[in-house]
Amino acid sequence: RRQRQMCIRDRPVTMQQEFVASVVSLLPHTDRIRNFSVIAHVDHGKTTLVDSLVAKAGLINKDEAGDKRIMDTKKEEQDRIITIKSTGISLVFDHSKSGKDPQKYLMNLVDSPGHVDFSSEVTAALRITDGALVVVDCVEGVCVQTETVMRQALAERIKPVLHINKLDRGILELQLQPEDFYKSLERVIESVNVILSTYEDKLLGDVSVDPIKGNVSFGSGKQGWAFTLPQMAQVYAKKNNIDSESVLKRLWGDHYYDPETKKFSSNPISKSGKTLPRFFCQVVLDPIYKMFKALTSDDKTTLNNMLTAVSYTHL
């Protein structure tokens, strides 16, 4: 608590006042308040992801995200680099739905421990929140504690959503090819759905996660970026002046675009015998790979051209 108070006190008085005013103004608007827990296996990047969210909200410097560990408020947590107690924080974000003007949303977030010895803290966090964000390392995949925390969430009748974290590891550390990376991400989602499928509750309804539905996000908490497939479909559709729904339904699964016939196919081999890239790899992964290559080679021209193409102006 002291660390969060110091964090806010370090900001200019006007920013403190604006933040408090934003929180107070949102309290009557319950439709724009979200209460959720962040749950994961130990070392899957949960606290680092929360740091990035706190930095995005303007409570800490972006350069400190990942190292600050603002949610680890106890000295023991900082010394051991592990979350022991569940800790909450309020954040305010601007969000636009269906192309409408952005509105402010109040996010009451609770960061919970990932170690099996502190499972009671996870239960406590889930009981005071309405949703759960399950964080999974894309390289490690679903682990023992991942399954445990998901079952805890379902037992509390909380429908989880999934964030596949550390995509930078797959690109830089494992140097996976886009198609292999897609299959790795697909296995993670399948593993999560296998666990969720064992739980049936009429009140909860369908608890499965599906990238097309938008309840699966991909990104890197350490580097502070993430996306969902509906977001990527909107960017691609706007750039090519086509319907985003037609793009979205082909962004996951066996969908390959053949430039020769200008049609989609479920066969990765074209009529002329050429290997076709998966549409997800072509639209989502290829630009990310190119951006990583431009960053590692310090190719600022390519990087700026790519950022301009997607109307990114906040670098």
Side-chain angles (χ1 to χ4, degrees), residues 39-46 113-116 119 122 126 132-138 140-154 160-164 188-189 191-193 195-196:
I39 57 178
H41 184 79
V42 66
D43 290 336
H44 276 208
K46 169 177 46 59
H115 198 282
V116 66
S119 292
V122 177
L126 290 167
L133 175 65
V134 181
V135 181
V136 178
D137 185 329
C138 72
E140 302 292 336
V142 174
C143 296
V144 175
Q145 191 63 8
T146 311
E147 179 175 352
T148 301
V149 295
M150 281 197 292
R151 293 194 184 280
Q152 284 178 278
L154 294 170
V161 295
L162 175 65
H163 174 71
I164 302 180
V188 170
I189 295 171
S191 298
V192 169
N193 280 328
I195 297 168
L196 296 177

Side-chain angles (χ1 to χ4, degrees), residues 172-198:
L172 298 176
E173 184 179 320
L174 299 185
Q175 297 186 355
L176 295 172
Q177 293 300 309
E179 178 65 21
D180 295 331
F181 204 0
Y182 168 83
K183 290 179 179 177
S184 176
L185 298 174
E186 189 178 45
R187 283 193 295 271
V188 170
I189 295 171
E190 287 176 355
S191 298
V192 169
N193 280 328
V194 166
I195 297 168
L196 296 177
S197 66
T198 62

Side-chain angles (χ1 to χ4, degrees), residues 1-7 9 70 72-74 87:
R1 187 183 297 115
R2 284 197 302 271
Q3 187 176 357
R4 292 201 304 278
Q5 289 172 347
M6 288 174 62
C7 172
R9 279 201 299 268
I70 190 172
D72 289 345
T73 56
K74 297 170 69 70
T87 310

Side-chain angles (χ1 to χ4, degrees), residues 252-267:
W252 195 257
D254 296 329
H255 299 285
Y256 306 87
Y257 181 73
D258 189 345
E260 296 174 358
T261 61
K262 295 185 178 180
K263 292 182 179 179
F264 283 93
S265 169
S266 58
N267 189 348

Side-chain angles (χ1 to χ4, degrees), residues 7-26:
C7 172
I8 294 174
R9 279 201 299 268
D10 288 342
R11 302 162 71 203
V13 175
T14 53
M15 290 185 66
Q16 293 181 36
Q17 293 171 340
E18 287 176 6
F19 175 74
V20 174
S22 296
V23 172
V24 172
S25 66
L26 285 168

